[in-house]
Amino acid sequence: FGKSGQMMNHFMILAVLLPLRTCYTSYSQQESDVFPVTYLNVSKDLGLQRLLVEWDVVKSAHDAELAMSFEIQVCRIDEATIVRTEFHNVTLDKLGKPLHWTWDSDIPLECMSHAVRIRGKAEASKIWSNWSLWETVPGLDTSNRSGPQIFPKKEFLAEGSDITFCCIGGKGQAIKKFFVSPTVDVFKRTNNQVRLLTVENLSHDKGSTIHFYCYDEDGRLHQAAFFVGKPPDTPKDFSCHTQDMRRVTCTWREGETYLYGRNAPQYTLSKTSSPKMALCKASCSSEQCSCSWDIGQQRIWNVTVTVENPLGKKNATDVFDVNHRMYPTAPFQVWEDCTDTEITLHWNYENNEIELFCQTEVVQPDGKVELHNSSVAHSKRVTVRGLQPYTAYTARVRCAAATHFWRWSEWSQALTTRTKEGIPSGKLDIWREITPVLGGRNVTLFWKQTPSFQANGKIISYEVTWEKIEDGSTPESISFSAVYNSTRILIDNHSYRISIMAKNNVHFSLPSVLIISRATDNSTEELKEGQVNGTDDGIFISWEPRSIYDSYIIDWCNFPRLQPCDLQWKRFGPNISSAVISSAAFVPGVRYKFCIYGSVANRTSLLEKKIGYLRELPPHVDPIVRKVDLTYNSVTLSWDSYLTNESETGFVRGYHVYMSPIQGNCNLKGSKKYILSDESELCKYTIENPEEKRYTVKHLMPNTKYKIAVKAFTGGGETPIVYFRYIDTPYNSNILYFVFLVVILPTLVAAICHWKMKWVKESCCPVIPSPNESKVLSFKEFKIDSEKVLKINDCLPDVLAVDSDAEAQKLHPVTWSSLSSTPSEDKTDDHNSSWIYPSENVVRDFPPTPTPQTHTCFENFAYSSPLEAESDPHHIPETLEAGKTNQAVMLYQPQCYLDIFHEDAASATREIAERKNSLRYISQTDVHCPGERF
């Protein structure tokens, strides 16, 4: 049991120690995979503003040839910021060489101190080594300086670059101000001792030199000037050639660097194999540079041109065989021989030992260029054929190597020459104008050269020949100088054949023939003139084609208002039936007349006439209104016929009538509104018939003043309205009649009625007064209750009428008591009071008269009115007449008063009652009588 216990303890110890050994082994292995930096050195290249970093790791890493990664950080001490972090991968070798890395600073290294640190790891490992210590490269900000300084110290700056400048103050001194002139866009950073200015995208636009100024707090100044330019470009179009096989010249184009004088680009031409040995000195003019040297017997060359300025260096190389770079000099002493259709050019050139072939350039009169090559080498002449007679040509020559063509020489000086004259080709274009005269006709002939006619020389004269066709008489002819293009001849009424030829120093042209037909006495109907329209390009004319004609001619006058009118004509083929006639002489507002002729076998016939304008203008004058007929609601205008002669500026298309009331706007029915330039409004009527000379404007207002104008218009419009005619419409008589009947007449009647109100009232509606209100009853003696009592002797009636003969007998004779003594007699006013006599016929019918009785009656003057006996057709009372038998009397019904205080009152009452049924009272308002009143 003891041994076994010991073994158990032994296993337990092993079980504990084994994991510990494993952990230790793993930790040792990790420690062995980390390779710290053992060496670090940092330096600076101020010319390149570059940090140079060198470091190394343990030797075992080299021995293992490990692939390692290094993390490198750059820090600016003053700013305490990491300005650059970069990972650098490298595979180590067993030679144990140190590792290198460079970094270009974006600010001058003099401005601030920079520090670098590095750490590394094997690429297979995830564990980085510890950082190395910071290795510092001090800037001048830590030096013992006495005043401010500006960096960098370089003198030239490249255009388009971004550069940071700094100003460092003296020891213990702060920078007060740091600026640049001329002013450019800058970004500023600053601390007490160092100020930075970053200029972006440097440009020479504001000057090729910029200046920086720096002031410290003591006012001390430091300034620096920099030139802004461009590094040189690679020489363009660099090539070398020879003109005589003894000397080579190389040429190229230089670029702009904006640096001049001693800073301008410097060119060096040398063999590529010996760059320091210059072959020649370059010279430049107008951006073109060249350099030449003698080649001796060497034929193959490899040369390089180098261009350098303070901002950089560029070069270009050319390898060539001199035999293949032949560039001849330009031919000289060029002269010519020529005929009417050919030119032969001759020339010389300097090096006759070199085999050349040449090319000739011929410029036609129309500017067309033709090139002609010589087919024979060494030939110093070329013939150009197929030219036009008496035509000027310009020619020049150039040559090139016949064996190894490389480049044409420069052109020789241009030579202008003219071919000789030839026979005129083609025919003249001729026309005529015929005017009948006594005993014959005047024929004016015109001629001109057409594009198909070639004079082939200088025309010296024109030959005109005419002959009678019928009898074959001897032709007549006349010659005119070349300055003439027309003539006039007199012929009779027979048919004539006329021909015209042009002549130069060589010969005549072919004749142009025109046949004038025989004049006839038959009067032909005058052709009606059609109207044509102008376009932007001229005047458009069309005609009806006829198959019998082989051509058409249109003639017109450029100046129709002048004499001579400058007659022009133009020919057209048989298949053409319209054309646009254009002329520089055409002006707007002038009427042009065109005659269209058909031609067959040189005979012409007038087919149509046309008139038209390039552009119509408004008429010069307005129509003259001769007559104006007015009613209360219309006006009729009549004007003279408008002149339509050739002086008119357009075809009158119609008329416009403008009208408006003086006060207010116009809104007449059937019109259109027209606004004048002063914003006033008119009514506008359009008459589209130019033959119309009368127009009626309706719907006017009576008693209103209007202004009116009549304008003629053409295709070019009308002139502005300047003058108006003024009219006044009369009153409306119908309205006056109506007003008279409806207003004035009733008003007049009412006024008369009002004036005669009392009479009308008394005539139509008399007022019957109450007896109680009568002045007659104004006494106080008798009253019964409230009624007044009238005494009988106060009443004197006018007339008493009775209805029966019996009553008449009772009343005859009537005895009136004391009437003559009453005051009423004096007041009757031409009334005769009183006695009542019955008419004769009434008396005849009366029965015997009873005993007379006495009755008392009264007269009431308020009832005294004329009565007309005939007014009542149904009842004609019998009247008692005084003096005349058939005379109308005034009827009156008396009112009888019976004195009830007398004894015989009762008997009287009974008698009155009996008569009540037989007596009738006639109101004086019932009838009217024009007769006498009693």
Side-chain angles (χ1 to χ4, degrees):
F1 179 79
K3 289 184 179 179
S4 61
Q6 291 178 354
M7 291 182 63
M8 289 292 293
N9 291 335
H10 180 68
F11 282 119
M12 291 178 63
I13 292 171
L14 289 176
V16 172
L17 293 178
L18 186 59
L20 290 175
R21 179 180 176 84
T22 302
C23 291
Y24 175 77
T25 303
S26 176
Y27 177 77
S28 299
Q29 182 65 33
Q30 290 178 2
E31 285 293 322
S32 64
D33 288 343
V34 177
F35 303 96
V37 175
T38 58
Y39 163 73
L40 177 60
N41 180 52
V42 180
S43 60
K44 59 185 177 182
D45 184 344
L46 295 178
L48 299 175
Q49 293 296 320
R50 180 177 295 170
L51 285 181
L52 307 175
V53 181
E54 184 180 59
W55 76 98
D56 204 354
V57 294
V58 295
K59 184 176 182 302
S60 60
H62 287 280
D63 293 340
E65 297 184 343
L66 291 177
M68 295 193 67
S69 294
F70 296 95
E71 183 179 3
I72 307 170
Q73 289 185 341
V74 180
C75 172
R76 289 199 178 111
I77 302 301
D78 288 353
E79 296 180 350
T81 56
I82 303 298
V83 297
R84 180 69 174 177
T85 297
E86 185 170 322
F87 293 92
H88 182 69
N89 298 322
V90 66
T91 299
L92 303 179
D93 58 22
K94 294 182 178 181
L95 297 178
K97 294 182 179 179
L99 303 175
H100 296 88
W101 178 78
T102 60
W103 175 69
D104 294 331
S105 175
D106 58 344
I107 69 171
L109 295 175
E110 296 93 339
C111 299
M112 293 183 184
S113 298
H114 291 73
V116 179
R117 67 177 182 176
I118 302 176
R119 67 175 181 174
K121 73 177 184 65
E123 288 187 358
S125 174
K126 297 182 179 180
I127 301 174
W128 287 93
S129 68
N130 294 327
W131 285 103
S132 67
L133 298 177
W134 287 102
E135 183 70 20
T136 301
V137 177
L140 295 182
D141 55 335
T142 60
S143 63
N144 296 325
R145 58 202 175 280
S146 58
Q149 296 184 60
I150 297 175
F151 295 97
K153 287 296 185 181
K154 59 184 178 181
E155 188 177 356
F156 300 94
L157 304 177
E159 183 182 43
S161 61
D162 299 337
I163 299 179
T164 298
F165 300 85
C166 72
C167 181
I168 305 172
K171 186 174 183 180
Q173 295 291 324
I175 299 301
K176 192 72 174 177
K177 184 185 293 185
F178 185 35
F179 62 94
V180 61
S181 178
T183 303
V184 294
D185 295 333
V186 297
F187 173 70
K188 299 180 179 180
R189 290 179 290 173
T190 182
N191 60 31
N192 287 335
Q193 287 189 324
V194 178
R195 289 204 179 188
L196 301 176
L197 291 180
T198 300
V199 181
E200 298 179 345
N201 192 21
L202 272 172
S203 174
H204 73 283
D205 293 343
K206 294 186 178 181
S208 59
T209 305
I210 60 174
H211 298 267
F212 287 84
Y213 301 90
C214 182
Y215 291 90
D216 63 12
E217 58 186 356
D218 291 335
R220 285 177 293 186
L221 168 67
H222 183 72
Q223 62 178 336
F226 300 88
F227 295 100
V228 179
K230 292 176 63 176
D233 293 330
T234 300
K236 299 179 179 63
D237 302 329
F238 176 58
S239 66
C240 302
H241 62 267
T242 182
Q243 291 183 322
D244 54 8
M245 300 299 294
R246 293 188 294 271
R247 189 172 180 83
V248 168
T249 300
C250 295
T251 59
W252 63 91
R253 289 189 299 110
E254 64 176 346
E256 181 60 70
T257 63
Y258 308 113
L259 298 177
Y260 310 101
R262 60 185 181 89
N263 300 319
Q266 302 297 318
Y267 295 94
T268 302
L269 187 67
S270 61
K271 290 183 178 180
T272 305
S273 57
S274 305
K276 295 183 179 181
M277 182 178 297
L279 293 174
C280 57
K281 183 178 181 180
S283 61
C284 297
S285 175
S286 301
E287 298 185 1
Q288 185 72 27
C289 300
S290 64
C291 189
S292 302
W293 74 97
D294 293 332
I295 59 175
Q297 299 301 317
Q298 185 175 344
R299 291 292 178 263
I300 306 299
W301 289 85
N302 184 351
V303 295
T304 299
V305 59
T306 302
V307 54
E308 183 178 6
N309 73 1
L311 293 175
K313 177 192 296 186
K314 294 290 178 63
N315 57 59
T317 300
D318 188 19
V319 178
F320 60 94
D321 184 343
V322 175
N323 294 321
H324 297 175
R325 292 293 181 89
M326 185 62 195
Y327 179 52
T329 58
F332 63 98
Q333 294 181 350
V334 180
W335 73 97
E336 87 289 348
D337 291 326
C338 62
T339 65
D340 58 340
T341 58
E342 295 181 357
I343 295 178
T344 300
L345 294 175
H346 305 263
W347 62 87
N348 285 321
Y349 45 78
E350 291 183 353
N351 195 343
N352 295 321
E353 299 176 357
I354 302 173
E355 186 177 355
L356 302 176
F357 79 98
C358 299
Q359 184 181 69
T360 302
E361 177 191 75
V362 179
V363 181
Q364 304 279 352
D366 59 359
K368 183 180 178 181
V369 176
E370 295 181 356
L371 297 177
H372 302 266
N373 294 330
S374 60
S375 57
V376 179
H378 276 298
S379 174
K380 296 182 181 180
R381 71 179 211 175
V382 65
T383 299
V384 181
R385 296 179 174 85
L387 304 180
Q388 294 294 327
Y390 201 67
T391 303
Y393 295 91
T394 300
R396 57 182 184 173
V397 183
R398 64 182 179 181
C399 300
T403 305
H404 302 289
F405 177 84
W406 181 63
R407 182 185 294 178
W408 287 107
S409 69
E410 296 295 328
W411 287 106
S412 67
Q413 288 187 350
L415 174 68
T416 299
T417 186
R418 182 183 295 273
T419 54
K420 293 183 178 181
E421 294 187 50
I423 299 175
S425 61
K427 298 180 181 180
L428 294 172
D429 186 5
I430 65 174
W431 189 236
R432 86 292 180 278
E433 184 179 33
I434 303 174
T435 305
V437 295
L438 184 63
R441 293 166 289 176
N442 274 335
V443 178
T444 303
L445 300 172
F446 303 90
W447 57 86
K448 62 183 177 181
Q449 298 181 12
T450 63
S452 62
F453 176 83
Q454 300 295 326
N456 295 336
K458 184 177 181 180
I459 299 298
I460 58 176
S461 65
Y462 295 98
E463 191 82 11
V464 178
T465 303
W466 66 97
E467 60 180 328
K468 192 180 299 185
I469 296 178
E470 285 87 350
D471 56 6
S473 60
T474 303
E476 298 182 60
S477 65
I478 188 173
S479 181
F480 296 94
S481 170
V483 298
Y484 293 97
N485 62 356
S486 66
T487 187
R488 178 180 295 174
I489 61 174
L490 176 63
I491 61 175
D492 56 26
N493 292 324
H494 293 85
S495 298
Y496 277 82
R497 180 181 184 275
I498 301 174
S499 65
I500 303 177
M501 297 181 294
K503 183 179 186 298
N504 63 11
N505 291 314
V506 177
H507 205 270
F508 287 100
S509 66
L510 295 175
S512 297
V513 177
L514 190 65
I515 295 177
I516 306 297
S517 300
R518 180 184 182 87
T520 60
D521 295 333
N522 298 330
S523 59
T524 59
E525 183 181 354
E526 183 70 18
L527 292 175
K528 185 177 180 180
E529 294 177 339
Q531 294 184 3
V532 293
N533 299 319
T535 67
D536 292 338
D537 300 323
I539 299 177
F540 178 78
I541 298 176
S542 62
W543 60 91
E544 182 182 351
R546 283 85 163 174
S547 59
I548 62 172
Y549 297 110
D550 54 26
S551 66
Y552 298 95
I553 302 98
I554 300 177
D555 71 4
W556 70 93
C557 286
N558 271 341
F559 306 99
R561 300 176 182 175
L562 301 179
Q563 287 298 331
C565 68
D566 188 20
L567 183 70
Q568 302 291 319
W569 72 96
K570 192 171 183 178
R571 294 182 180 272
F572 300 93
N575 298 322
I576 297 177
S577 60
S578 64
V580 174
I581 305 300
S582 60
S583 171
F586 286 168
V587 294
V590 175
R591 179 180 296 183
Y592 297 95
K593 181 177 179 181
F594 301 88
C595 294
I596 303 168
Y597 298 85
S599 175
V600 57
N602 298 322
R603 295 177 183 268
T604 59
S605 301
L606 178 61
L607 304 180
E608 298 178 28
K609 291 182 179 181
K610 306 285 185 180
I611 55 174
Y613 297 84
L614 178 67
R615 187 175 76 248
E616 294 184 52
L617 297 180
H620 285 315
V621 295
D622 297 333
I624 300 175
V625 177
R626 294 295 186 185
K627 185 178 181 183
V628 177
D629 295 326
L630 280 170
T631 68
Y632 70 91
N633 67 345
S634 68
V635 59
T636 300
L637 305 172
S638 301
W639 55 87
D640 291 344
S641 297
Y642 200 86
L643 298 177
T644 57
N645 54 29
E646 296 181 357
S647 63
E648 281 306 309
T649 57
F651 298 119
V652 175
R653 314 283 181 172
Y655 303 91
H656 287 145
V657 177
Y658 297 94
M659 175 168 281
S660 175
I662 299 300
Q663 300 295 331
N665 293 328
C666 185
N667 53 0
L668 296 177
K669 184 178 179 182
S671 65
K672 294 183 179 180
K673 288 185 178 181
Y674 180 79
I675 307 299
L676 294 176
S677 58
D678 61 356
E679 303 300 327
S680 60
E681 185 177 299
L682 300 176
C683 285
K684 177 181 179 180
Y685 301 88
T686 300
I687 305 167
E688 295 184 350
N689 181 10
E691 303 299 325
E692 187 67 45
K693 303 298 182 294
R694 180 184 176 92
Y695 189 75
T696 299
V697 180
K698 300 179 180 180
H699 310 293
L700 303 183
M701 296 295 296
N703 192 29
T704 305
K705 192 177 186 67
Y706 288 89
K707 58 183 180 181
I708 192 167
V710 179
K711 306 286 291 185
F713 66 89
T714 67
E718 65 186 27
T719 56
I721 302 174
V722 178
Y723 301 105
F724 285 96
R725 184 166 185 164
Y726 295 89
I727 60 172
D728 292 289
T729 54
Y731 287 97
N732 186 350
S733 59
N734 295 333
I735 294 178
L736 293 178
Y737 297 150
F738 178 78
V739 170
F740 178 78
L741 293 176
V742 174
V743 178
I744 298 178
L745 187 59
T747 302
L748 183 60
V749 172
I752 295 174
C753 290
H754 184 270
W755 180 42
K756 294 291 186 176
M757 179 65 72
K758 184 176 179 181
W759 177 80
V760 173
K761 184 176 182 182
E762 291 177 353
S763 300
C764 298
C765 303
V767 176
I768 302 175
S770 172
N772 292 330
E773 296 177 357
S774 175
K775 291 181 181 181
V776 180
L777 302 179
S778 62
F779 48 87
K780 300 181 180 179
E781 286 82 358
F782 298 99
K783 282 189 179 181
I784 299 176
D785 294 332
S786 61
E787 297 294 331
K788 295 180 180 181
V789 179
L790 177 66
K791 290 190 292 184
I792 295 177
N793 58 357
D794 292 334
C795 176
L796 181 62
D798 286 338
V799 179
L800 180 65
V802 292
D803 289 339
S804 66
D805 295 340
E807 290 296 330
Q809 291 292 329
K810 292 179 180 180
L811 294 175
H812 181 75
V814 179
T815 301
W816 305 95
S817 300
S818 306
L819 293 176
S820 61
S821 61
T822 61
S824 62
E825 286 183 323
D826 300 329
K827 301 176 182 178
T828 55
D829 192 20
D830 84 351
H831 288 266
N832 293 323
S833 62
S834 13
W835 297 105
I836 303 175
Y837 298 95
S839 61
E840 293 180 0
N841 61 344
V842 173
V843 173
R844 287 195 298 269
D845 293 337
F846 284 169
T849 304
T851 303
Q853 295 181 3
T854 301
H855 297 278
T856 302
C857 297
F858 68 91
E859 178 184 9
N860 189 345
F861 289 101
Y863 288 83
S864 298
S865 298
L867 296 176
E868 186 175 58
E870 297 88 333
S871 61
D872 187 356
H874 304 289
H875 179 80
I876 303 177
E878 295 181 6
T879 60
L880 300 178
E881 192 175 31
K884 294 183 181 180
T885 59
N886 292 326
Q887 186 175 356
V889 296
M890 301 301 294
L891 301 182
Y892 174 77
Q893 180 179 358
Q895 300 249 346
C896 296
Y897 172 74
L898 301 180
D899 190 354
I900 63 175
F901 299 102
H902 292 77
E903 291 181 358
D904 47 355
S907 60
T909 303
R910 285 191 301 268
E911 184 177 348
I912 294 171
E914 291 176 358
R915 292 187 329 201
K916 189 174 183 180
N917 294 326
S918 60
L919 293 176
R920 182 176 66 85
Y921 169 74
I922 300 175
S923 172
Q924 294 182 19
T925 61
D926 289 342
V927 293
H928 298 275
C929 180
E932 297 184 21
R933 295 178 58 198
F934 293 92

